[in-house]
Amino acid sequence: MSIPDPRTRPLEIGRPAGGRPRLPDAATGALMAVAAMSTVQLGLALSVPLIDDLGALGTVALRLAWAGVVLLVLVRPRRRDFGGRDLWACTMLGVVSGCLMVFFMLAVARLPLGTASALEFLGPLAVSLYGAGGGRRRWTALAGVGVVLLTEPWHAGIDPLGLAFALAAAACWAAYILLTQHVGDRVTGLSGLAVSMPVAGLVVLLAAAPTDLGRVTWHLVLIMLGLAALSAVLPFSLEFLALRRLTTSAFGTLMSLEPAIALLMGLVVLDQIPGAVPAAGVIFVVLAGIGATRTGARTAAPEPARPSDPLPDPLPDPQARVAG
């Protein structure tokens, strides 16, 4: 009986070298994305009552400024972590992230949380339509129907300025997804996020300074430190890692869960009770999110073999030795 060549032994799918089972990349990325959406929506729901004290821009400015400080202290990015135009890409990601939060908070100040999130989802929806694949479009269409049911555009009375802010946030979110995956692929660890987040905080501080920062008190500063960890540092980090495991199209479709999560947070935290039609929309977006998760893993390029790690020579066949 011959001993098999270790180079030709098939690998077990879903198991690392140690033999312990692990989740596929798509499932891991999906769990990270859902956790990110849940924490950001909980943080936003808890931030809404603070708008009366700080204003919409002041609320998001303090949260992002704290998040930038925390990430700089924890990650401590170094210049050698970045190559070529990576710092420029990180800066652009920060600008887009800051604009995204500004426009969304201005929308939330005028619209229910679930409605604002549903309109903002049009950005990820556009990203999920990018690229070939009929199956992807199927889940995207299902998510789109769910968002329409959540938004109920046939009802008059939606604040036009709030609508404009939500659509601007949608455009920023689409750019954020594409830039986040680009930076995550180019920069190791969370160094890219540790550069982009302070830039985002600076953008929002500049926007809020003329009107809202005069209301800041030490009590509010400490509250916003906790909200920064919950609704900025944690979710942005999780999304950064999730986009290393999911395609942008799958991630964009998976974001269809966010309006549903926002609806739930609005119900639990803000007592914003949805009707039957938005509840049906929740079901549609959940199904779309599940479908995106099942088909959305990224295909990683195989690493080239290193000269320092040659393959072992095949073990000799004992029977061949006897026959010789």
Side-chain angles (χ1 to χ4, degrees), residues 139 142-143 146 254 256-257 260-261 280-293:
W139 297 120
L142 186 63
L254 189 61
S256 62
L257 295 173
I261 294 172
V282 170
I283 296 174
F284 276 78
V285 295
V286 168
L287 291 174
I290 293 172
T293 302

Side-chain angles (χ1 to χ4, degrees), residues 118 142-154 263 275-285:
L142 186 63
V145 171
V147 170
V148 170
L149 293 177
L150 275 167
T151 312
E152 296 183 282
W154 50 85
L263 203 69
V277 174
V282 170
I283 296 174
F284 276 78
V285 295

Side-chain angles (χ1 to χ4, degrees), residues 305-312:
R306 295 180 297 173
S308 58
D309 295 330
L311 288 172

Side-chain angles (χ1 to χ4, degrees), residues 262-299:
L263 203 69
L264 178 62
M265 295 300 176
L267 172 63
V268 174
V269 180
L270 302 175
D271 199 27
Q272 297 174 346
I273 302 174
V277 174
V282 170
I283 296 174
F284 276 78
V285 295
V286 168
L287 291 174
I290 293 172
T293 302
R294 293 176 62 87
T295 59
R298 295 184 72 185
T299 302

Side-chain angles (χ1 to χ4, degrees), residues 83-103:
R85 299 181 179 178
D86 294 342
L87 275 175
W88 173 249
C90 293
T91 302
M92 290 303 300
L93 175 59
V95 171
V96 168
S97 300
C99 292
L100 165 62
M101 297 303 295
V102 166
F103 287 131

Side-chain angles (χ1 to χ4, degrees), residues 6-324:
R7 293 178 299 181
T8 61
R9 185 179 302 164
L11 295 175
E12 291 187 65
I13 297 176
R15 287 181 179 271
R20 290 178 298 177
R22 63 175 175 82
L23 288 174
D25 278 349
T28 303
L31 288 175
M32 289 178 173
V34 171
M37 288 183 280
S38 300
T39 53
V40 76
Q41 290 301 327
L42 176 58
L44 284 171
L46 294 173
S47 299
V48 168
L50 297 176
I51 292 178
D52 291 337
D53 298 321
L54 283 172
L57 292 179
T59 301
V60 70
L62 279 184
R63 188 168 72 242
L64 284 186
W66 268 126
V69 171
V70 169
L71 280 168
L72 274 177
V73 171
L74 293 179
V75 179
R76 289 179 291 179
R78 295 163 296 185
R79 179 64 184 87
R80 65 174 178 266
D81 295 334
F82 305 88
R85 299 181 179 178
D86 294 342
L87 275 175
W88 173 249
C90 293
T91 302
M92 290 303 300
L93 175 59
V95 171
V96 168
S97 300
C99 292
L100 165 62
M101 297 303 295
V102 166
F103 287 131
F104 185 69
M105 285 303 294
L106 290 173
V108 167
R110 293 166 172 80
L111 301 172
L113 182 60
T115 302
S117 295
L119 290 168
E120 187 195 29
F121 169 67
L122 294 175
L125 189 66
V127 172
S128 65
L129 282 170
Y130 177 77
R136 182 183 301 127
R137 292 194 182 97
R138 181 175 67 249
W139 297 120
T140 301
L142 186 63
V145 171
V147 170
V148 170
L149 293 177
L150 275 167
T151 312
E152 296 183 282
W154 50 85
H155 287 170
I158 189 169
D159 187 295
L161 193 56
L163 174 63
F165 286 139
L167 293 178
C172 290
W173 201 2
Y176 164 81
I177 291 172
L178 299 174
L179 282 169
T180 296
Q181 186 170 83
H182 173 77
V183 171
D185 288 344
R186 298 274 302 174
V187 183
T188 59
L190 294 176
S191 296
L193 186 62
V195 171
S196 67
M197 189 60 68
V199 173
L202 180 61
V203 168
V204 185
L205 282 172
L206 291 175
T211 56
D212 292 342
L213 292 187
R215 312 182 193 183
V216 174
T217 65
W218 284 110
H219 175 68
L220 292 173
V221 166
L222 293 177
I223 291 176
M224 294 310 298
L225 172 59
L227 287 175
L230 176 66
S231 63
V233 175
L234 183 58
F236 276 104
S237 299
L238 288 170
E239 288 180 357
F240 206 76
L241 297 173
L243 275 163
R244 288 178 174 168
R245 293 164 171 81
L246 296 170
T247 63
T248 53
S249 295
F251 185 85
T253 305
L254 189 61
M255 289 295 103
S256 62
L257 295 173
E258 184 143 4
I261 294 172
L263 203 69
L264 178 62
M265 295 300 176
L267 172 63
V268 174
V269 180
L270 302 175
D271 199 27
Q272 297 174 346
I273 302 174
V277 174
V282 170
I283 296 174
F284 276 78
V285 295
V286 168
L287 291 174
I290 293 172
T293 302
R294 293 176 62 87
T295 59
R298 295 184 72 185
T299 302
E303 296 184 3
R306 295 180 297 173
S308 58
D309 295 330
L311 288 172
D313 292 331
L315 295 175
D317 188 335
Q319 289 185 353
R321 187 183 299 118
V322 172

